[in-house]
Every structure is written in structure tokens, then in C-alpha cells.
Amino acid sequence: MSTTAELLKGAAELFPDEVVTSAHVRHFELPAGAGRFALITLDNGFDHTKPTTFGPASLANLNKAIDQVEAEAANGEITGVGITGKPFIFAVGADLKGVELLKKHEEALAIGKGGHDVFKRLSALAVPTFAYYNGAAMGGGVEVGLHCSYRTVSKALPAFSLPEVFLGLVPGWGGCTILPNLIGAEKAVSVVIENSLNQNRQLKGKQVFELGIADALFEGADFLEQSLIWTAGVLNGTVTVERPEIDRGEGWDQAVAKGRAVADSKVHGAAPAAYRALDIIEAAKDGDLQKGFDAEDQALADLIMGGELRSGIYAFNLVQKRGKRPAGAPDKNLARPVTKVGVVGAGLMASQLALLFLRRLEVPVVLTDIDQERVDKGVGYVHGEIDKLLGKGRINQDKANRLKGLVSGVLDKAAGFADADFIIEAVFEEMSVKQKVFAEVEAVAPAHAILATNTSSLSVSEMASKLQHPERVVGFHFFNPVAVLPLLEIVRGEKTDEASLATAFGVARKLKKTAVLTKDAPAFVVNRILTRFMGEIQNIIDEGTPVAVAEKAVEPLGLPMSPLVLLELVGPAIGLHVSETLNRAFPERFKVSPNLKAVVEAGKRGFYVYKPENGFKPELDPEVAALLKQGDVVLTEEQARDRVLDAVAQEIGLMLEEGVVAEAQDIDLCLITGAGWPFHLGGITPYLDREGVSERVNGKRFLAQGVASVPA
């Protein structure tokens, strides 16, 4: 049987580029005569911008530090052991770059076992152990502390989580087993399952204490000093730590059942990680930690060798890395400063844009519209939203006053835009209307001003074609709700110049949006794929398949909502408009559904009604059912799913051939950040590759083997 040291040495050889974390041991006398104490500090030698992680060599370093303190504890040389991190960072868990390199189940098993073997030693020492969560702690960083006897947390700690389920893993170094035994199953399910599946929600220091994960909470400024004084009290017996009794009966079972309901609502059974984590939490009820650790090892290894984790890591890297360095973006030094923003339109979308520019850029923002009532309503909306932020304590009164003072509305474009550097239109989605607006704006705006359009599907080049300076027109397509969805499709028109494009990317960065450069092609990226996806479902319904079968067919994708519920959110009229735009461009692939047209003409807001007696579940609206004219071709769920996925794979293949975006990665980044496509799928292309659809339709994979999949 391999020793821990041998396991970790073997794993380290697979991962030569690890950023290695040291585990420094220092000693000092605790106050109040509490004796000599050993403190282990985790530090990778970089500042807080490169957080400390646990790869195999890092775990080996911690193992060596524990060798030292174990001997000291056994010899009676120390009264306790503490573990803490470098400034602002405790530790953020396993190094995922190493996980991506693993090719065999036994290699993955060694990583799980290696972490357990090292961390378990902390709880087995002959003296009490203490974790001091001084800064960001995630995954394995949280778990190393769970193996200690006591924990303190800093009030200044900004982020604490077990994000594994979000990525397609389970908390596999004690998180699924120790946490429910420490704070109870209900709170543990909330941290491990609910927070993870709610876009990886983080806890702050105070919440960590309130949940009972930490035993004491101290201010950030003198956190370690206060923690050591408290430690001395624990060792002297002047401080008693009391923990509530855990409900190991019905409460535990109910918590697990609730977790399964949350997982079902988020991933619809399409991703295994949440369910594996819940199985381990369920089994941890009897308090047998070693049995739980063995189950964690097995689950980790199985999931590391599965497609979901690889897709999850791929999606995480897209958002964290590619999203911050957009492919094809020009040199940022070409960007011009933006000191004033103009918004054409004062409807809901325009008002949301005005609010976003105002909050992020903190420069004057001026709205215009066709009458004073609309202008006043737009400015009123922005003021109302600022008041809400003030009411929630997100901004103070001074900031609220300053922001309100920066937003204004005028009817006269010349008065509003004469000194604006960036002007965006959010008017009716009709080419002639937008061309007219741009002609009016160009006549009064300064020569350097960027003219941006929030069009969702119309040609940016055609919109700019009648202007004297089409080179300064750029597509700047936001997704609704603007404050929530991170994606911004930046569209380069045929004549858009580098400086205008660079300025657009500079503004996107300040708006904290994920910008993706797209070619000026019909409906750009997200709307083109979603329209093909939803259009194929609509075709299947029109041909004769029942609505419920067509909807259920795509459930295995684990999408955040069903296609027809999404249509309701977008609005059937907008869906119809985009399908008509794409039908004009690609009539052979995009049909205009007569049934969808009938629904829009009848003024229906969607296909469904929601009744309280049915628990507000979507049911087909009888009035819509009466409008539907269907053929007699009835498909099974599997046939319908194949049709839909084939259509999507074909469309993405064509978009990549046309150069709509640089690579398949940009398609996935767009769907994750603009349409809420699941992280566990990695967007869409890894799923199409994994299911064999890409090769069936296009004769090749979208991504090379090893990208969002297990290396060959």
C-alpha cells in the first residue's frame, strides 16, 4: 500500500507546473501562560492576486510541516497548533490546473486520498488544533480548517465557499462529511448544494460565524492577534466553546430531501455532482467520518474522470480568463476617454442602460426621447433605482445625491449630445428608425464620439451605411436584465475602425461586462443560436409533436428554464421579430412559425398559464391550444432531442466557418454569460462533442480532445 508521501510524489510528477504552496512553521509563547504554540502559515510566495492552492507538492509540504509539529506535540514541547494563510488569502482549494491533466481513475483517486491523509493528521495530533480563516477560503481551503479542533474567522473575509458542486465535483476532502456533523445537515446542504448551484454564492466572515462553521469572529485589523488571545483562553479553560446538538433524525433526512429538490430544479438530473454530494451527506448521518472520507475519495475520482467536471473547469476558465482578455480586441491604448454618455430612448431598456453607465462610469449621462413625459419617466426610473440602492445600504446618501445629479434628460439632442463621447441608441428594433436616429445624432455629436447600437439582430454596417463617418459605429448588444447578465456582444461593422472598437472594449471593461467580439452577422451569437434552438422546437410542435414532449425532450441539457418559458421571458413578439430577421438571411434554416405568429397576433404573452391550484406550474393555455394548427408527424422525446441538437450543431459549425467569432470557446462564453447556459455543460460545444452530435453533423469535434474532456 502506498504511503501518503509516495502518493503525493507520484501526483506531483504528473503536474510539473504547479504553483507550490509552502507551509512555514514558527513558534512563540501564547499570552496568559498558555504555553509554546506552533503556527503553520500557508504561502505560495505571491501576493493576494495569486491565491494559495493545494496541488500535490503543496500537500506534501503541509504533510512535512505536520511531521514536525506531530513530533513536538508528542514530546510535550507545544500546547497547540494553528494554521493560517498569507495576507488576504487563507487558501482556495485544490489546484484545478492539475486536475485537468489527470488521465486515469487511480490518479484521480490518489489526489482525493492524498488530501484526506494529510488533513486528517491535524485532527489526530496530541494537542488541540486551530484554523484561523484570515482571508478568502474555498474548497480544500475551507476543508483543511474543518479538520481542526477550533476555527476563528475574520470579519473582513470577503469570500468563503465550497464551490465544488458548481464546477462538477463534490467537496472531497471532508466537506461533505465533517460539515453536516459540525453544523447540521440543513446548514451544510445550504452551503454545499444551494450556494454552489446559485452561481457559486459566497459567504462573508460574519455568516461563517453565524452558521457555526467558526467558533469566534474577530476584526480584520488585528485578527491573528485576537485569535491567539482567544486560543490561549481555550487552552487555559477560560474560554468554553459550545456547539449545538445536531439533529440526526428527521431533520437530517428533510435537509437531504430539500437538497435533492434544489438540485432537480437547477440541473434536472442532468449533472451528477450535486446528487453524489447529497448521497455522502445522507450517509454521514451516523457520524462515521472515515466511511464518509472513503465515499468522498470515490466520488471525486469518478467525477474527475467524467465530462461534467472537465466542462465545469473549462467554463470557469472561459469566464475567469478568456472573458477578461477578449479574443480579437484591439490594443487598449487606442481607446479614447469617455467623460459623458448619451442614451437615445428613455424606455425600460434605455433606462437600464443609463443606470448601468451611471453607476460604473460615474460620468454625466443624458437621456433623450420624443416627448417630455417619456424623458421624465426614464430619469425617474434611474432615480428610483438609486433610492433602492440607498435603502439597501449599498450606497450612502452622498453617493446617491452625486449619482442623481449626474443623470439628466432633454428633448433636444443637440443640447444633450454636443459634448458626449459615447452615445448609445436603444430605440425600436427597425432599421429605418435606427438609421434616422443615427443621422440625427451624427449631425450634433462631436467628431470623436462613438455611436453604439444596442440592436439584437439588425446589421450594424447597414445602420451606419448612410452616415458620413460609419467608422465610429459599433454594435453594443446587452442582454436583459442588463444588471444581471454579464455578456456584451461587441459587433464590428464593415467600416468600424480600431479606435472606436478599442473604446467600446474599454467601456465594456469599466461596465464590468464580459465582452465578446463578433462579426456583423444576422443576430450575432446568442440570439442566432437560441433562435435556431427554439425554432427547431417550434418546428417540431408545428409538425405535430405535443408541446409537452417537445419541451421535455431538451430537459437532459439541464437548462435554467424550458424553451417556451424562455420565450415568455424574451417576449413572443421579440422572438418572432428575430426569427423573421434570420428567415430573411437564411430562409432554408430559419422558418417563421405560423403558430408563433398566431400567438403574437392574439396578444398572448406566452404559451402557458400559471394557476395557484396547480402550484403555479406551467400549463398549456387553452386559448393558445385552440390557436395551434399542427401536422401529424409525432416524434418521441429522443427523436425531438436529436433534431434540436443536430440543428444547433449545424448552426454553430456554420457560424465558425463564417468567422462570426474567433473560436468555439467564444460561442460557449456567450451562451454561459448571455443566456445562463449551464456551467456543467461548459456552454454547448463540449456537450455536443461528448454526445457525439458534432461528429454526426459536422464530421468533427468543436474542441480538441482534452479541452473540456478527459485527455486521450
Side-chain angles (χ1 to χ4, degrees):
M1 182 125 170
S2 302
T3 65
T4 303
E6 286 165 347
L7 271 181
L8 293 172
K9 188 165 179 286
E13 284 165 8
L14 297 170
F15 185 20
D17 300 327
E18 178 185 350
V19 176
V20 180
T21 297
S22 303
H24 308 287
V25 183
R26 59 191 168 119
H27 299 86
F28 39 79
E29 292 295 323
L30 285 171
R36 188 165 180 262
F37 190 75
L39 181 68
I40 300 169
T41 303
L42 303 169
D43 191 347
N44 61 5
F46 293 91
D47 70 11
H48 65 280
T49 58
K50 195 161 226 171
T52 307
T53 52
F54 291 123
S58 306
L59 285 171
N61 284 342
L62 179 57
N63 203 37
K64 277 190 214 134
I66 297 172
D67 285 343
Q68 180 186 336
V69 297
E70 185 179 59
E72 292 168 353
N75 295 335
E77 295 167 25
I78 53 175
T79 57
V81 174
I83 185 164
T84 194
K86 66 183 183 182
F88 309 111
I89 304 285
F90 181 78
V92 298
D95 192 320
L96 293 176
K97 290 196 292 300
V99 172
E100 282 180 280
L101 301 172
L102 301 175
K103 296 180 184 179
K104 298 186 188 132
H105 195 273
E106 58 266 31
E107 294 169 355
L109 200 59
I111 289 291
K113 202 167 160 4
H116 270 132
D117 288 353
V118 175
F119 290 0
K120 269 189 328 199
R121 297 182 67 197
L122 287 166
S123 53
L125 292 178
V127 293
T129 49
F130 299 80
Y132 307 129
Y133 291 124
N134 63 303
M138 292 170 207
V142 168
E143 290 169 305
V144 70
L146 293 178
H147 285 267
C148 294
S149 324
Y150 305 96
R151 286 155 294 282
T152 67
V153 67
S154 165
K155 272 187 192 171
L157 181 145
F160 182 104
S161 64
L162 289 168
E164 288 83 353
V165 166
F166 175 67
L167 293 169
L169 273 178
V170 298
W173 285 340
C176 289
T177 304
I178 301 173
L179 193 64
N181 279 291
L182 175 69
I183 62 173
E186 187 183 358
K187 290 177 182 171
V189 165
S190 168
V191 174
V192 174
I193 305 297
E194 286 189 75
N195 288 358
S196 263
L197 292 178
N198 279 311
Q199 294 302 311
N200 192 19
R201 188 190 292 146
Q202 300 293 320
L203 298 168
K204 301 265 191 283
K206 187 163 175 275
Q207 294 167 296
V208 174
F209 171 65
E210 286 166 353
L211 281 165
I213 300 171
D215 302 302
L217 176 72
F218 299 113
E219 292 291 346
D222 56 353
F223 169 70
L224 191 56
E225 190 184 338
Q226 292 302 320
S227 292
L228 292 169
I229 293 167
W230 180 85
T231 297
V234 171
L235 294 173
N236 282 337
T238 57
V239 171
T240 309
V241 172
E242 289 180 9
R243 294 186 183 137
E245 202 174 326
I246 302 298
D247 179 346
R248 296 185 183 279
E250 206 178 315
W252 193 292
D253 299 337
Q254 284 170 347
V256 171
K258 185 188 171 199
R260 291 194 196 284
V262 169
D264 285 344
S265 74
K266 293 285 185 182
V267 300
H268 311 286
Y275 303 98
R276 290 295 291 267
L278 286 161
D279 289 344
I280 301 168
I281 293 171
E282 186 172 34
K285 182 176 170 180
D286 62 7
D288 183 340
L289 296 186
Q290 188 52 52
K291 189 176 84 180
F293 296 162
D294 292 342
E296 287 175 349
D297 287 343
Q298 203 53 54
L300 262 189
D302 291 349
L303 292 165
I304 285 172
M305 298 318 292
E308 184 205 356
L309 168 71
R310 306 297 171 138
S311 295
I313 295 174
Y314 164 81
F316 185 77
N317 288 336
L318 284 183
V319 172
Q320 295 299 322
K321 294 176 183 166
R322 195 178 184 95
K324 291 180 171 62
R325 290 190 288 279
D331 180 351
K332 57 175 178 244
N333 295 321
L334 295 172
R336 293 192 281 261
V338 172
T339 58
K340 183 177 180 182
V341 173
V343 182
V344 186
L348 183 59
M349 189 68 178
S351 304
Q352 287 185 64
L353 295 180
L355 178 70
L356 180 70
F357 279 94
L358 184 66
R359 286 195 64 203
R360 297 282 187 238
L361 272 57
E362 294 191 23
V363 300
V365 175
V366 60
L367 295 112
T368 68
D369 212 316
I370 52 174
D371 59 53
Q372 193 63 45
E373 191 186 338
R374 290 178 205 229
V375 169
D376 292 345
K377 194 177 173 190
V379 173
Y381 169 86
V382 177
H383 282 199
E385 292 299 309
I386 292 167
D387 286 336
K388 282 183 197 168
L389 293 169
L390 177 64
K392 289 177 187 164
R394 303 266 295 278
I395 56 174
N396 61 26
Q397 188 66 59
D398 280 353
K399 179 95 178 257
N401 293 346
R402 194 168 79 251
L403 290 176
K404 283 184 182 178
L406 285 171
V407 66
S408 61
V410 294
L411 283 175
D412 180 5
K413 291 188 182 70
F417 298 159
D419 55 350
D421 308 301
F422 191 98
I423 300 161
I424 183 164
E425 69 73 26
V427 298
F428 187 63
E429 192 75 343
E430 184 67 58
M431 182 59 76
S432 58
V433 177
K434 290 186 186 281
Q435 285 180 332
K436 180 172 179 280
V437 160
F438 269 159
E440 289 168 2
V441 170
E442 188 180 47
V444 297
H448 68 272
I450 304 300
L451 307 185
T453 168
N454 183 43
T455 182
S456 59
S457 60
L458 300 176
S459 165
V460 174
S461 306
E462 191 182 336
M463 219 175 284
S465 62
K466 295 181 178 173
L467 298 179
Q468 286 177 300
H469 293 285
E471 69 278 0
R472 55 177 172 159
V473 176
V474 64
F476 215 61
H477 178 220
F478 290 87
F479 288 79
N480 216 350
V482 170
V484 178
L485 290 172
L487 180 64
L488 185 50
E489 290 177 341
I490 296 187
V491 186
R492 178 179 214 145
E494 281 168 23
K495 301 218 166 128
T496 309
D497 64 21
E498 293 286 292
S500 301
L501 207 55
T503 306
F505 274 99
V507 169
R509 209 165 22 252
K510 286 187 178 146
L511 294 175
K512 299 190 176 167
K513 291 294 180 189
T514 300
V516 174
L517 179 63
T518 107
K519 187 178 165 185
D520 185 18
F524 318 125
V525 180
V526 173
N527 283 343
R528 180 161 164 188
I529 293 169
L530 286 186
T531 305
R532 186 78 200 271
F533 172 75
M534 288 162 72
E536 200 56 44
I537 288 167
Q538 189 70 60
N539 292 343
I540 289 164
I541 293 168
D542 292 354
E543 288 165 19
T545 299
V547 170
V549 174
E551 284 265 82
K552 211 163 180 308
V554 292
E555 261 185 18
L557 275 78
L559 299 175
M561 62 187 74
S562 78
L564 292 182
V565 173
L566 175 62
L567 179 70
E568 205 167 288
L569 192 71
V570 171
I574 292 173
L576 179 65
H577 175 78
V578 177
S579 76
E580 286 169 343
T581 302
L582 282 159
N583 171 258
R584 285 194 292 276
F586 311 115
E588 68 290 355
R589 298 196 310 280
F590 289 87
K591 293 179 185 163
V592 177
S593 162
N595 281 322
L596 179 57
K597 215 168 190 171
V599 167
V600 172
E601 282 166 2
K604 303 301 290 182
R605 52 183 289 273
F607 276 62
Y608 292 132
V609 285
Y610 302 85
K611 296 176 188 160
E613 62 269 24
N614 191 24
F616 295 103
K617 286 193 179 119
E619 306 178 39
L620 189 60
D621 182 340
E623 291 178 21
V624 170
L627 292 171
L628 295 183
K629 291 186 169 59
Q630 292 182 280
D632 53 9
V633 178
V634 180
L635 302 184
T636 64
E637 278 177 32
E638 197 177 338
Q639 289 169 327
R641 183 163 56 253
D642 284 350
R643 270 261 308 262
V644 172
L645 293 177
D646 286 3
V648 171
Q650 182 195 32
E651 203 58 39
I652 293 170
L654 291 166
M655 288 166 73
L656 292 171
E657 274 176 33
E658 290 167 29
V660 175
V661 287
E663 290 181 288
Q665 281 87 337
D666 294 310
I667 300 262
D668 293 321
L669 183 58
C670 283
L671 285 174
I672 291 163
T673 56
W677 216 273
F679 246 68
H680 65 260
L681 293 185
I684 181 67
T685 68
Y687 179 82
L688 295 171
D689 284 350
R690 202 158 66 232
E691 297 294 310
V693 182
S694 316
E695 292 193 46
R696 181 169 78 225
V697 175
N698 300 322
K700 60 181 181 184
R701 297 168 62 93
F702 286 115
L703 301 166
Q705 187 71 43
V707 179
S709 56
V710 178

